[in-house]
Amino acid sequence: MEAGKLYLADAYRATAPGLVAAHGADGSVVLDQSLFYATSGGQPGDRGMLAWEGGTLPIGTAIKGDGDTIVLIPEEQGPLPPIGTPVTQEIDMTLRRGHMRVHTALHLLSVVIPRPVTGGSISADKGRLDFDMDVAPEKAAVEAALNELIARDLPVSDRWITDAEMDAQPELVKTLSVAPPRGSGRVRLVQIGAGADPVDLQPCGGTHVARTGEIGRIRVGKMEKKGRQNRRVYIHLDDTP
């Protein structure tokens, strides 16, 4: 696990202790370790709450700061816990779990549509990927193949490789617009499926469900033309409006 990023060890963890390490001029807070995922790779930052003796602070999102720091942005300006104060971090698990389900579903979408990915975004009930292709696939076929993979209830796991190992396996990178998360000398891989021949294996720093069955049924939405060689495909969690 990268130092201080608690969500990498357990994406389902809802609360954790922390110490206030710094304040930002904009009223933001940096902790010594973060349960909050910071906006990156198309996945939004977590929201939640900080609590300490004598106060609370609603957190609207989290962003990347200098180096490996994660900066917590309050929903509104208010009194901050002093530097060095022990706090309890609590994240909005309904939001986090939605992001986890959609993010894992998008990894599977990249299996069903095996084309280079040029962009994407995630929310708590839907997501999209942009593909480098000139003709969109048939929607019903994509939806059926995607839900078949989900229904197999495949395990989702992660492991780490060195930067050198990553450089030796460029085929693992599916995204043309987002580089694998680097900086610590190693890269995290997210694997879907067990054994030596998984369904999917790619670099990713985001949060995911533990098994594909947790995603639930997916609806494929619009397929839009976004340029001569670009097609945008939307997916929706079927148990949300």
Side-chain angles (χ1 to χ4, degrees):
M1 185 186 76
E2 289 187 63
K5 296 181 179 179
L6 300 176
Y7 55 84
L8 291 178
D10 182 2
Y12 295 86
R13 186 174 181 178
T15 64
L19 288 174
V20 179
H23 295 158
D26 58 354
S28 58
V29 177
V30 175
L31 303 179
D32 66 329
Q33 57 180 7
S34 180
L35 193 60
F36 289 76
Y37 177 84
T39 303
S40 62
Q43 180 174 333
D46 285 317
R47 67 175 179 234
M49 180 77 70
L50 295 183
W52 65 97
E53 186 175 353
T56 59
L57 184 68
I59 300 299
T61 191
I63 62 173
K64 289 186 174 182
D66 294 334
D68 283 336
T69 61
I70 293 177
V71 179
L72 308 184
I73 309 297
E75 285 187 354
E76 56 187 37
Q77 295 299 312
L80 302 181
I83 293 174
T85 299
V87 298
T88 297
Q89 310 173 60
E90 181 176 354
I91 62 167
D92 181 335
M93 276 304 298
T94 299
L95 182 71
R96 162 70 72 82
R97 193 156 186 274
H99 292 163
M100 291 161 62
R101 293 169 66 197
V102 171
H103 199 156
T104 307
L106 289 176
H107 278 221
L108 291 177
L109 182 63
S110 75
V111 174
V112 173
I113 304 177
R115 297 290 302 169
V117 175
T118 58
S121 71
I122 296 165
S123 69
D125 59 357
K126 62 184 178 181
R128 64 156 174 92
L129 287 180
D130 297 347
F131 294 94
D132 180 15
M133 59 184 177
D134 56 0
V135 178
E138 202 273 319
K139 183 188 295 188
V142 170
E143 183 170 288
L146 187 56
N147 282 304
E148 182 180 354
L149 285 173
I150 290 168
R152 288 170 61 183
D153 196 28
L154 298 162
V156 182
S157 59
D158 65 357
R159 57 188 173 88
W160 295 82
I161 60 174
T162 66
D163 286 350
E165 289 172 317
M166 182 73 253
D167 291 338
Q169 303 175 81
E171 69 278 4
L172 293 177
V173 181
K174 295 186 175 185
T175 55
L176 299 178
S177 59
V178 179
R182 293 178 183 248
S184 63
R186 59 185 190 150
V187 177
R188 178 178 181 247
L189 298 180
V190 171
Q191 176 172 314
I192 301 178
D197 188 24
V199 167
D200 187 55
L201 180 66
Q202 60 178 293
C204 182
T207 57
H208 291 270
V209 293
R211 305 192 68 89
T212 61
E214 295 180 46
I215 298 169
R217 187 165 181 81
I218 289 290
R219 290 181 287 111
V220 174
K222 294 186 294 183
M223 293 185 175
E224 297 179 337
K225 183 177 182 179
K226 290 294 180 179
R228 186 173 63 86
Q229 283 287 125
N230 202 51
R231 298 296 181 273
R232 178 168 292 176
V233 180
Y234 290 88
I235 63 170
H236 303 258
L237 299 179
D238 205 27
D239 58 359
T240 57

